[in-house]
Amino acid sequence: SHYRDYVRAVMTRYRDFNRWYFDNFYEQERMLADRPRMNFYHAAIARHIQPGDRVVDLGTGTGILAAFAARRGAAKVYAIDHSEILRHARTLAAANGIENVEFIATHSKEFAVDEPVDVILHEQMGDCLFDEAMVANVTDLRDRLLRPGGLILPSCFDFYCEPIKLKDQRKVPFLWELNVHGFDYSSLERSRPQEPGYYHVRCSDLGFVEHFLGEPEPVLSVDLHTVNEAAMPTELRFVRTVVNAGRLDGYAVYFRARVDGDLSLTSGPLDPGRAPHWGFRILRTDRDEGAAGDVIEVSLRVERWADPDTWRWSHVKRTAAQVIPGEPAGLPGRK
């Protein structure tokens, strides 16, 4: 009962924050000026929305994705948002001659229609992919409103958590790691902050990360057509062999969205074509060094995917000399 009350309170705060955050013109400007984002959605909608489709646009904002769908010939677009930005979306649709769009001021979980829809269109990805309740919100609509064989656009996502080295001039050590002209801060290690947010750094600066220590690959992939939030793993265990030596400063959390085999959108910190309005998240870790051939075994434990403050991470490093040739590297898989 206490846990349910806590989750309900967290979700209420999140909804209130969203109402304010997405009503802000500047946040809308950042999203609309994000060319990789807008090109990805324009191409995906042009390819997959068919004349006569009934579409739900989840979190419509200024209504631009709903407009793209309407211009493709959708018979009906339900454009849902619980932010005050909806009043501007209505104005913009009228000014641009957009028809067949119904703007609905509600949260998606309170939205219902009399007959199934063909497509759920959304942009519910947070910096940490799952932190805007994407899985809960989209699968709720999927299970209640999407026709059998209907489409979620986009549906396929890869989640990354990569060991990184930051550029030396951008690295900020933990306080207890510092020694400034002989003034030693190590005694403060016993006073480590307990606030989870202290161990997260949000950034969208391409000059922040120097390199990945290993070869990046997804540690989790989900398809919104089939995923079940309750069945998502509570722990990810993965291994990276160091191919680019350097200081281990933390883990870069980012995502890639995929449509078909040739359309993708990434928030990756070293991708020059990244979608710039999303930040990537750095999960800070204690000082360590990775030499070529070392093996880093990482555990990411998650209480609630939608709340990164409930994430906990740790690693064990084996040096190249400790790795036995032919021995399977690392930890067992996800659980």
Side-chain angles (χ1 to χ4, degrees):
S1 175
H2 291 301
Y3 176 75
R4 287 196 300 271
D5 290 344
Y6 169 75
V7 171
R8 191 177 299 113
V10 169
M11 293 308 297
T12 298
R13 288 197 300 271
Y14 175 73
R15 287 188 186 189
D16 290 344
F17 171 78
N18 264 6
R19 289 190 187 99
W20 166 81
Y21 187 79
F22 291 110
D23 189 39
N24 184 302
F25 267 25
Y26 179 65
E27 295 308 323
Q28 297 294 333
E29 291 160 2
R30 291 177 63 239
M31 290 187 285
L32 293 165
D34 185 334
R35 290 186 179 181
R37 172 188 185 264
M38 299 315 306
N39 291 343
F40 171 81
Y41 275 97
H42 188 266
I45 290 168
R47 184 179 297 181
H48 285 288
I49 301 293
Q50 303 300 322
D53 278 347
R54 290 164 51 82
V55 179
V56 172
D57 177 17
L58 172 58
T60 195
T62 60
I64 190 166
L65 303 188
F68 290 167
R71 285 177 169 172
R72 282 291 301 155
K76 181 77 171 184
V77 182
Y78 300 98
I80 307 169
D81 208 300
H82 62 161
S83 165
E84 291 296 317
I85 196 68
L86 212 60
R87 68 190 185 276
H88 301 299
R90 292 189 180 100
T91 299
L92 286 164
N96 283 274
I98 300 300
E99 300 177 348
N100 299 334
V101 176
E102 180 180 349
F103 293 97
I104 302 164
T106 189
H107 190 276
S108 62
K109 292 194 174 181
E110 278 78 60
F111 172 71
V113 287
D114 294 333
E115 56 182 301
V117 299
D118 301 291
V119 181
I120 296 171
L121 178 63
H122 76 96
E123 196 267 70
Q124 295 276 289
M125 302 91 81
D127 292 341
C128 298
L129 181 57
F130 303 108
D131 50 314
E132 289 188 9
M134 176 181 74
V135 173
N137 290 339
V138 175
T139 59
D140 169 69
L141 289 177
R142 176 198 72 190
D143 295 344
R144 294 190 298 110
L145 303 180
L146 188 64
R147 68 168 173 80
L151 178 68
I152 298 171
L153 193 66
S155 68
C156 294
F157 298 89
D158 299 320
F159 173 82
Y160 292 82
C161 185
E162 291 298 328
I164 54 164
K165 179 187 182 297
L166 301 179
K167 292 191 175 178
D168 290 341
Q169 65 269 31
R170 308 300 294 275
K171 163 69 174 175
V172 177
F174 289 121
L175 193 61
W176 52 90
E177 293 177 339
L178 288 166
N179 187 305
V180 182
H181 293 292
F183 194 81
D184 184 7
Y185 283 81
S186 61
S187 61
L188 292 185
E189 184 167 7
R190 66 177 67 97
S191 302
R192 282 173 175 260
Q194 298 303 303
E195 301 83 5
Y198 169 76
Y199 299 92
H200 295 237
V201 176
R202 182 186 185 276
C203 185
S204 56
D205 182 350
L206 285 173
F208 198 64
V209 176
E210 182 167 304
H211 61 244
F212 297 122
L213 270 64
E215 295 291 346
E217 59 180 283
V219 297
L220 180 65
S221 296
V222 299
D223 185 340
L224 293 175
H225 290 114
T226 56
V227 70
N228 181 338
E229 186 180 33
M232 288 185 64
T234 57
E235 184 173 13
L236 300 179
R237 298 182 177 189
F238 54 97
V239 174
R240 291 292 180 269
T241 299
V242 175
V243 294
N244 302 303
R247 185 182 60 238
L248 172 59
D249 291 322
Y251 307 96
V253 168
Y254 61 98
F255 69 85
R256 183 177 298 275
R258 295 179 283 109
V259 172
D260 305 325
D262 59 337
L263 289 179
S264 68
L265 181 72
T266 182
S267 61
L270 294 179
D271 192 324
R274 74 180 304 272
H277 97 273
W278 275 287
F280 49 88
R281 192 69 59 95
I282 306 298
L283 308 181
R284 304 172 75 189
T285 191
D286 289 331
R287 179 188 298 164
D288 207 341
E289 293 286 335
D294 288 354
V295 171
I296 301 170
E297 303 174 344
V298 185
S299 172
L300 174 64
R301 298 173 301 282
V302 173
E303 184 177 338
R304 292 183 302 281
W305 279 103
D307 183 1
D309 281 352
T310 71
W311 300 6
R312 300 293 182 269
W313 54 95
S314 61
H315 76 271
V316 175
K317 185 187 73 177
R318 290 193 290 160
T319 66
Q322 294 171 320
V323 177
I324 301 172
E327 179 187 67
L331 298 156
R334 306 164 189 162
K335 69 177 184 180

